[in-house]
Amino acid sequence: MDLPLIVYSPEEYIETSTGNKVYKKASIYGSQNIVLSGKCVLQKDCILRGDLAPIRMGKFGIIGENSVIRPSFKNFINKGPQGSFIHVKIGDHVFIGKSCIIMAGQISSYCHIGDGAILGQSCVLKECCEVQAEAVIAPDSVFPPFSLIGGNPARVIGSTAPCTADMMIEATQEYYENFVPKTSARAALM
Amino acid sequence: MASLYQSDRNKYECSCGAWDSLGLLYFCRHCSVTRCSSCVLVELDCFLCQNCLESAPVTEARLKKNRCFACNFCPFCATVLTKKTCVNSGNTFLSCGVCRWSTRDAGIPDQSKTTTDWPMPENPLSKRLNEISGHFKDLETREKARKEKDTTKRRTNFGGFDASKFSDRFGVQKMIQARKKAIETPASTVESHVATADVPALPDDVFESTAAIQLPLNVINKQPLVEETTLLPVRLPLKGRKAIRCRKCEHHLLKLDYSPNAINYKISAFARNTIPEIRLSRGVELVVGQQSSILLTLLNHSENGMQIILTPDADDSAFEIVTESIDITLSPLDAADVLLGAEESKYSAASSSSSSNIVFQRRNRVGIRLDLCPKVDFKCLPLSLKFKNIHTTAKLETSADWKMVKVRVGLDK
């Protein structure tokens, strides 16, 4: 089914010059450490903890309502007892659903994370992965490209379609286009 | 992604008669037919470890018994174990992030940083198994040698003067000698199993002991020969990467780049890039006996314009057709249009003989309204989709033919 038209109030969201649509009251800490490459959507009440470590997000990234992105903490033997927070890298055309907790080290391009999924500390998702809703990924896990991940603890339970990259490009672009302010011409058609 | 668009609802008919969603179908341009996962040839491209993503050639994978020697998973919950370093000694141990099991619990001493040689469960019957497999290999060599001797044509001048006979330049003599040796040497013998009446009795506590019951089923599957107290880490199996060929013409339909982590395709023949996609625009509410409308979106993901004739099939007479057919020309997909946010394609806009059924036009997609009158409550709308796309044939000189594919659109909520 086609993605629905989502109409937002222009007072609640701000659109940047690069096309990012960001909820004004979203808890975005350490904004100097957060890079959104353009045409990203940060929806209501999402939390980005850029104060802990840098967060870099590719273009057409969608973050659902109430989702949290917080860099993971790791102790390194060589770096003394304090340990450090690890950068979060999120690729292009990544869709993160509602109420997710993302503590991943890397989410590569064309990944889809279902509603309520929890990504454990420093886990790595390679390209074209799909995490099913409510899945809980163990810390430090690595998943190869085209993995369908589900369960608690999450495992590879299948593979995604070979044309996932094309489908994700289409889905994220359509989602961005359908996420419109009340004042737009498309919203008036509703 | 499939779950975002609920693309599993809409099934397309493959040339073999199976039904599958469009994302999982291929289109062979050489045979001009659709192919699904059950009517293609699958070949293994390469092997890679799921955790360290290290690739292994086929011979190496076979030697390692399809396991990665560097990565292990937990015997209890099958989660990949992580290597942790002891602060004082600098040695490492393996630990599970989910159930907190560690190699220390199994009584395995910490290993040095570089080691990958974690103790593996030994099969107590391995010696006997090796003996038997060696015996069968020997039998195989003898049988092969005898068969070769019978089938090889004897040379008439073999006994005469021939320089090659003395120099053995081409290794013929060596081959003959090896064959002779294989036939003449006595066959190896293995001790055969002997039936015995002396079977030890079951211990008394076997029905009372809960030791075996406490183990989860997947643990018993993975390590059936070890006791509960000596669970050991299990080596992670390698994953095979697939390449797909057409069953009839054996042309590649799908082949990834050389790198094991690659997601770019050298060859890709997705049906999605040739056949128009049909989606429901919004949820449907049908009332039996009343004329209702179903709103559909037609999309053209190919790089060429496409002419489409959409006809509802009323074979099962679940509904009465009001809209006989819709004839549309769809614009090609242009990535630049999407990035610039253009509403209309720079190519010729969609045209239709039945413009009253067109709801909207937007770049490579057209929204249509299909009117019908349901006689009973039905959950699946059968459609016939005729389309003309230059991509359906590999021959350059021929013009595009009309192709037809049957589609079932799921109307369930």
Side-chain angles (χ1 to χ4, degrees), chain B residues 135-152:
Chain B
H135 175 63
F136 278 104
K137 268 184 191 159
D138 183 47
L139 289 180
E140 186 203 349
T141 325
R142 295 168 69 80
E143 196 181 320
K144 203 176 160 191
R146 201 168 293 143
K147 208 181 273 176
E148 268 179 11
K149 194 190 164 196
D150 294 342
T151 51
T152 319

Side-chain angles (χ1 to χ4, degrees), chain B residues 14-52:
Chain B
C14 173
S15 59
C16 68
W19 294 80
D20 218 336
S21 57
L22 189 64
L24 300 172
L25 291 176
Y26 306 95
F27 192 91
C28 179
R29 290 176 66 198
H30 302 272
C31 307
S32 288
V33 288
T34 46
R35 296 268 176 231
C36 68
S37 53
S38 55
C39 62
V40 289
L41 296 172
V42 179
E43 55 185 26
L44 278 172
D45 206 6
C46 70
F47 289 90
L48 78 154
C49 172
Q50 295 187 39
N51 188 51
C52 62

Side-chain angles (χ1 to χ4, degrees), chain B residues 152-220:
Chain B
T152 319
K153 203 178 173 185
R154 282 174 187 275
R155 289 171 190 274
T156 48
N157 62 347
F158 200 67
F161 177 76
D162 188 354
S164 66
K165 189 179 162 190
F166 300 106
S167 65
D168 195 24
R169 201 165 137 199
F170 302 105
V172 178
Q173 286 295 328
K174 205 176 169 186
M175 197 182 76
I176 291 168
Q177 288 305 320
R179 191 200 291 163
K180 205 175 167 187
K181 198 180 161 191
I183 297 168
E184 282 173 359
T185 48
S188 64
T189 50
V190 281
E191 209 177 305
S192 57
H193 291 218
V194 184
T196 173
D198 184 23
V199 182
L202 279 174
D204 292 338
D205 65 334
V206 73
F207 299 113
E208 290 157 19
S209 166
T210 53
I213 301 164
Q214 281 169 355
L215 288 171
L217 276 176
N218 63 348
V219 173
I220 300 165

